Each structure stands twice: as structure tokens, then as C-alpha cells.
């Protein structure tokens, strides 16, 4: 029974990832670029080094991500108001709309995924997931 649950969990993870990538691709985004946008949406303008540290990627990686987002109109690089040597990565109107659309998309996907599941079963499922996540974090 354990292996069956594990296999279904893997299948769910794959299907969720594919759905997320499909939705992001429709907006011209990758998962990595979307992560940058979500971070900026939650925290506001940040320096690239702050983004790199938060997302645990290299400076070179974040430069490529920000370059791509800037070229497609999701972010701009603005002068830092207190440090003229620094720049801030800032969401544009398109970037802000994309962050909002991603949040709406997550809510829609969650509603579709859990449709028909009684509130008590959803609560139990969430509690079980907390146990599973705890097990993985300890490993």
C-alpha cells in the first residue's frame, strides 16, 4: 500500500508541474521567471543580489532571469533611491498583472483539484500532507 501511495503522489506532482508550466507558458513565462515575479510581487522592488539570495541562485542565473523578464516587459531596472551604485528590479504594469493572474490561476487550479472533496476530507488531507512534508524536511 505504501508504494501505491508513493506512486500516486509522484503522478500528482508530475501532473501539477505540467499544468503549472502550461499555464505559465501561455503568458510567456517559465517557472523560474514566475518565481522572480512572485518574489517581487510579495516584497516589492529588490536588488538582483537580494533576489539571488532569496531564490538561492547564482548572480549569473538571476541576471539571465531578470534580463529575460526585462526584455519581455515584466520588469524594469530602476535606480536605487538611496544608493546610486545600485539598481532595483521593479515590476511593470505587465509584471503586476502577471503576478495577479498567477495568484488567480493557483486559486482556480486548487478549486478544480479539490472540487467534490468534503471539507473534513480536505482538512484531513492537508493534515496528512503536513506530516509527509515534515518527514521530507527531516530527511
Amino acid at each position: 500500500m505504501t508504494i501505491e501511495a508513493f506512486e500516486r503522489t509522484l503522478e500528482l506532482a508530475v501532473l501539477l508541474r505540467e499544468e503549472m508550466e502550461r499555464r505559465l507558458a501561455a503568458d510567456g513565462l517559465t517557472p523560474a521567471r514566475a518565481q522572480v515575479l512572485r518574489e517581487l510581487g510579495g516584497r516589492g522592488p529588490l536588488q538582483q543580489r537580494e533576489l539571488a539570495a532569496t531564490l538561492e541562485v547564482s548572480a549569473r542565473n538571476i541576471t539571465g532571469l531578470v534580463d529575460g523578464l526585462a526584455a519581455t516587459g515584466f520588469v524594469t531596472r530602476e535606480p536605487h533611491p538611496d544608493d546610486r551604485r545600485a539598481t532595483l528590479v521593479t515590476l511593470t504594469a505587465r509584471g503586476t498583472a502577471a503576478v495577479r493572474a498567477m495568484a488567480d490561476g493557483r486559486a482556480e487550479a486548487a478549486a478544480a483539484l479539490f472540487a467534490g472533496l468534503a471539507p473534513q476530507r480536505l482538512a484531513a488531507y492537508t493534515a496528512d500532507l503536513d506530516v509527509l512534508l515534515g518527514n521530507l524536511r527531516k530527511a
Side-chain angles (χ1 to χ4, degrees), residues 48-117:
Q48 283 189 195
R49 64 181 163 81
E50 293 172 306
L51 276 170
T54 299
L55 301 177
E56 298 179 348
V57 299
S58 68
R60 177 181 225 163
N61 192 299
I62 203 68
T63 297
L65 290 170
V66 172
D67 285 349
L69 288 167
T72 52
F74 289 99
V75 301
T76 59
R77 289 181 173 99
E78 304 289 332
H80 193 290
D82 302 322
D83 182 353
R84 63 184 177 168
R85 297 169 295 167
T87 59
L88 293 173
V89 180
T90 305
L91 288 175
T92 61
R94 181 176 187 198
T96 300
V99 170
R100 219 175 300 117
M102 285 187 286
D104 292 346
R106 288 168 77 103
E108 290 169 14
L113 180 63
F114 297 116
L117 199 58

Side-chain angles (χ1 to χ4, degrees), residues 3-4 8 11 16 32 34 40 58-59 64 69 72 96 103 122-123 139:
I3 194 68
E4 291 171 9
R8 287 186 179 145
E11 182 180 1
L16 288 172
L40 292 170
S58 68
L69 288 167
T72 52
T96 300
L122 182 57

